[in-house]
Amino acid sequence: MAQTLRVNGHEHVVDVEGSTPLLWVIRDVIGMTGTKFSCGIAQCGACTVHLDGNPVRSCVLPVSSVGNREVTTIEAIGATDSGKRIQDAWLAVDVVQCGYCQSGQIMSATALLKRTPNPTDADIDAAMSGNICRCATYVRIRAAIRQAATGKIVVTQAIPVAAIGGRK
């Protein structure tokens, strides 16, 4: 069944079943591969996109439920003020390790800054709690969000190896 989707400001007519997850339409039909598939059950956040500015998990969102709302993906988030600040801070703080989860992390962080321009640590933790980073870059993620919010350089502190049960 043909439907029209607005993705990153452009209309796309897609011929898919209404139950098809938005993720597969974005990746396989439209050809934007920045949004990632990981768990497939909306638990990891790698597939996060914005639907009218709100973060949603595209791996479980049926395309029929999108309607005429605007979908924004990682490919376009840098064109927004909060998205650009988050992406710049991500690079400055050197958040990325393997990078697989980063598009979802950036999408969630951008939505947080748009809704809460000066978030507390509790705000950051709540907004990012649905995003899993297997490389455990959470300290750098929080620092990048703080830096994007304040414009001030945030220094992260390394955890001594002995403190986590390593060498003595």
Side-chain angles (χ1 to χ4, degrees), residues 52-128:
D52 280 348
N54 298 307
V56 297
R57 304 301 189 246
S58 64
C59 70
V60 296
L61 184 69
V63 71
S64 61
S65 68
V66 173
N68 32 354
R69 294 180 285 174
E70 175 71 25
V71 177
T72 306
T73 69
I74 190 69
E75 286 87 354
I77 203 66
T80 68
D81 177 59
S82 55
K84 174 144 180 42
R85 286 187 289 130
I86 284 289
Q87 287 180 332
D88 289 348
W90 233 250
L91 294 172
V93 175
D94 199 20
V95 170
V96 179
Q97 203 159 328
C98 86
Y100 197 81
C101 70
Q102 296 307 302
S103 60
Q105 299 277 0
I106 288 169
M107 296 303 288
S108 291
T110 299
L112 167 64
L113 277 194
K114 186 174 180 188
R115 146 179 102 247
T116 310
N118 192 19
T120 64
D121 284 349
D123 294 331
I124 294 170
D125 292 347
M128 302 305 291

Side-chain angles (χ1 to χ4, degrees), residues 1 3 5 8 15 20-21 25 28 41 43 55 60 70 73 79 81 91 97 101 119 129 131 143 147 158 160:
M1 164 183 253
Q3 316 183 57
L5 293 178
N8 299 334
D15 189 15
T20 305
V25 175
D28 295 347
I41 57 172
Q43 296 297 302
V60 296
E70 175 71 25
T73 69
D81 177 59
L91 294 172
Q97 203 159 328
C101 70
S129 66
N131 291 82
Q147 184 167 321

